[in-house]
Structure formats: C-alpha cells, structure tokens
Amino acid sequence: MTHTLPHRPSRTGDPATDPLTRPATLELVGLGKRYAPGLPPVVDDLNLRVESGELLTLLGPSGCGKTTTLRLIAGLERPDSGEIRIDGRIVTAPFTPPERRGVGLVFQDYALFPHLNVLGNVLFGLRHLPRHERLPRARETLSLVGLTVFETRRPDQLSGGQQQRVALARALAPRPSLLLLDEPFSNLDAQLRHSTRQEVRAILRRAGTTAILVTHDQEEALAFSDRLVVMRGGRVEQSGPPHEVYARPGTAFVANFLGRSNLLGGTADRFMARTALGVLPLSEAASGPVLVSVRPEHLTFTDDPQGTPVTIVAREFKGHDVTYTVRLDNSQELLVHVPSDTVRPEGSAARVSVTHPARAVPSSV
C-alpha cells in the first residue's frame, strides 16, 4: 500500500529547510504557570526546543507539570510568564487560540463522536478546508493509519487500538505542525498498548510529524522517543536520547525514577568507590563522599567467596526474568535483576557481585 501523505521537509539542503537556519517546530522560553497566588508553580521557568520530525516524550511523576506543559502548548491554558513559539511564530502574546495554532491533539479518552462513523470523525477536523478537498484528505489519512476498510464503522464497533488510530487520523488529517499526545495508550491492555504504541510511532515516522508524548510510563517513554525529557517540580531534570538518560542519569531522582536503581552512599577515589557492596568501579572519576547508582541488571548472584553476602527477601517472577529483593548486612535492601532460570528461595543466603561500573550521581533534593 502506498501512503501519499507528504513528508516534512528534509533536515538538510537549502536554507529554508536547514535546521541551523530555520526555526524549531516548538520553542518554550522561560515558561511559567501557577494556578493560584502563593502556590508553587506547576511549570517553572521551563525552556525546551523541539526540532522538526522529532518524537519527544515528557516523562515524570504525577504533579511534575508535564500535562500542564502540554495544555499550555495547545492553548488550553494561558501561561503566567514566558513565550511559546510554534514554527517561529509567537502564540502567547497576543494569545493565539487552540484552533489557530496548527497543533493536533490526541487525548487519553480519544474523544471520538459516537454518532459519526470513522470517516465522519476524520472529516470533522477538516471543516476549515474547501469542501472538495475534505474527502480525499480524510481517505488519504485513513490509508496512512491502515483504517480505510473501516471507514463506515462507528467507534463502538472498533477495538481500542483501532479507536486510537481513528483519533490519530483525525489529529493528523489537518497536517499540523505539531502533534500532542496526552497519555494516549493508558486505556489499553498491556499487549494492545505495546502493539498500538509501535504502530503509532511508525505512522508518525511515515508522516514526518513532530510529536510530543506525555506519559508516566517509563517503558513507554523509553520505547517511543527520540529524546526523553524527565520533569520534576515543573522543570527539566534531565534531557537526552533515552539510552543515554537511562545509562547516565544526571541525578539520583532520574536514576531511581527511570527504571529503578540501587543507590548507595560511599567514598570515591577517582574511578573507585568504597560502598556497602564493597569497592566498586566507577564509570567516571569522582572523589570524596558520593552517592552511586547501580542498576538492578548490573548485579548478579555469584558463588565467588569475594562476593557481598546478602539475604534474599523477596522474589518477583516476570516470565523471562526475575527481580529479587536482597538485604545487606547493614539492612539496606537492593534489587537484583537476573534471567528466569536463576532460582533462589526467599529467606536464603547468597552472594552478589557487580558486573558493570557504577555511576556517581548528585543527591537531588
């Protein structure tokens, strides 16, 4: 099947499409929002740049400001301070309403019209186009998301994943500069969530769409994004490609929030640190008192008498692997992530060793 929805311009070539000379799809400059005087800001001096074609995820715990940031970008909320620029155009002063921002929205509940069929739902977002352009555009977009054969069905005749793709088609049909996705997969069961996420990512890639996903699901954020932005207290705690943020957390908060980590106090001397797990190699040089991050998958059980003695407290079987909770002699508990063929009974004694260098991280407050 051939998909004819135009791609975004190439990132190289003439000055109009060169990323060094053209404006970013989105820029947030000093963005701030609080809901009442005297309350702490929900979004606090937030600065962010999203390039054309980028898939970016805002990740963080409840109350970190990620959904409010999305609503500010969409024009559903007004900021107290700062600027929002979409394709180089300031949309905050004067305030540009949502329908004139060139932004598409996909919500958690999809917000499909139950009395309209699939085609009607997609056509609803194209009322601004000349009448003769609407039907071809709607069918072109349904082809992109693989729903052409379902265009006469109503939403209640579709699966959850199909409803998600209808909502995506409706948002993509006007060809927005930016697509905003607010927890769009959270209503799906685990298997459907995984497959739908992959489908949506592939669709956005084919369309060349710039998109921002808001989620609190770490696995989802790691799998979906070109770039991950971890938020905390209305600010960016760390930003970068998912594999880099995971492998090199900049703070204890990021290390513990993204994939859970074992955090141990210690004393560093260049590339070694003395901890309750023994002397650990460090990925980067440090000195003096430190907090080190050891990922659960970087710990393993060992028969080596030089390993650190532990007591197995709990076991969480996950099919292809197992996460053990173990307790050190100092009563600190750690997580050990190993293949499922490693079977150790709860309450038994064991020894663990570290398989990768640990990382020293600032103890964020």
Side-chain angles (χ1 to χ4, degrees):
M1 182 181 294
T2 302
H3 302 291
T4 56
L5 192 68
H7 284 245
R8 293 281 171 198
S10 167
R11 296 192 183 203
T12 59
D14 63 58
T17 60
D18 191 323
L20 297 177
T21 57
R22 76 170 189 272
T25 296
L26 175 71
E27 290 179 279
L28 308 181
V29 183
L31 199 63
K33 175 69 178 179
R34 68 178 75 223
Y35 285 111
L39 292 179
V42 180
V43 176
D44 187 12
D45 193 27
L46 183 63
N47 296 281
L48 188 64
R49 179 184 174 97
V50 185
E51 302 295 345
S52 176
E54 188 173 20
L55 303 182
L56 180 137
T57 296
L58 300 180
L59 174 71
S62 297
C64 72
K66 57 188 186 295
T67 295
T68 299
T69 299
L70 207 72
R71 291 177 63 83
L72 289 169
I73 295 167
L76 302 176
E77 303 275 0
R78 292 177 183 249
D80 298 322
S81 59
E83 283 185 353
I84 300 173
R85 302 172 189 157
I86 299 176
D87 285 337
R89 179 172 56 101
I90 297 175
V91 296
T92 43
F95 181 80
T96 304
E99 64 272 14
R100 293 176 52 204
R101 293 196 174 196
V103 171
L105 296 168
V106 179
F107 295 104
Q108 181 176 342
D109 61 1
Y110 314 149
L112 299 177
F113 297 109
H115 63 289
L116 297 178
N117 62 21
V118 167
L119 183 61
N121 268 277
V122 177
L123 284 168
F124 186 85
L126 297 175
R127 292 171 298 169
H128 65 289
L129 291 181
R131 186 176 297 274
H132 71 278
E133 294 183 20
R134 296 175 193 173
L135 188 58
R137 176 79 67 86
R139 286 188 165 142
E140 180 182 348
T141 312
L142 284 175
S143 174
L144 178 74
V145 302
L147 288 176
T148 302
V149 297
F150 298 112
E151 68 174 41
T152 61
R153 293 192 185 183
R154 294 190 313 274
D156 62 358
Q157 297 172 311
L158 302 174
S159 69
Q162 290 166 342
Q163 290 180 34
Q164 172 65 273
R165 282 188 282 159
V166 176
L168 182 64
R170 186 175 62 187
L172 286 175
R175 296 177 186 166
S177 297
L178 178 65
L179 184 67
L180 306 177
L181 303 117
D182 186 12
E183 303 272 8
F185 311 114
S186 60
N187 286 337
L188 304 176
D189 63 56
Q191 184 59 40
L192 188 56
R193 184 162 62 244
H194 178 267
S195 61
T196 303
R197 182 178 68 221
Q198 289 181 312
E199 291 172 356
V200 169
R201 191 178 194 279
I203 290 164
L204 296 176
R205 278 282 182 254
R206 288 199 297 269
T209 301
T210 309
I212 298 177
L213 169 71
V214 160
T215 184
H216 63 275
D217 186 308
Q218 301 160 27
E219 178 184 340
E220 188 168 284
L222 291 168
F224 185 85
S225 319
D226 296 324
R227 183 157 56 101
L228 183 62
V229 176
V230 181
M231 292 187 65
R232 184 187 186 209
R235 291 175 172 262
V236 174
E237 184 86 355
Q238 187 172 349
S239 173
H243 65 280
E244 290 186 6
V245 177
Y246 183 85
R248 292 189 284 278
T251 66
F253 172 81
V254 174
N256 212 30
F257 182 77
L258 190 62
R260 296 195 294 181
S261 191
N262 298 305
L263 300 173
L264 302 102
T267 304
D269 181 9
R270 294 182 56 76
F271 288 95
M272 305 296 288
R274 188 173 299 279
T275 74
L277 267 177
V279 177
L280 305 183
L282 295 177
S283 59
E284 297 176 3
S287 62
V290 292
L291 192 66
V292 297
S293 167
V294 180
R295 292 291 186 190
E297 63 269 26
H298 294 166
L299 279 174
T300 190
F301 294 112
T302 180
D303 294 326
D304 187 340
Q306 299 300 314
T308 304
V310 298
T311 300
I312 295 176
V313 176
R315 180 178 63 193
E316 186 180 355
F317 182 70
K318 301 175 181 176
H320 59 290
D321 50 37
V322 187
T323 298
Y324 287 90
T325 302
V326 302
R327 182 179 294 129
L328 297 170
D329 288 343
N330 68 357
S331 296
Q332 181 174 359
E333 292 188 351
L334 305 175
L335 299 176
V336 182
H337 198 63
V338 292
S340 59
D341 58 1
T342 302
V343 180
R344 304 260 178 168
E346 295 175 347
S348 64
R351 291 182 179 271
V352 296
S353 61
V354 178
T355 61
H356 289 69
R359 180 172 175 81
V361 294
S363 55
S364 50
V365 295

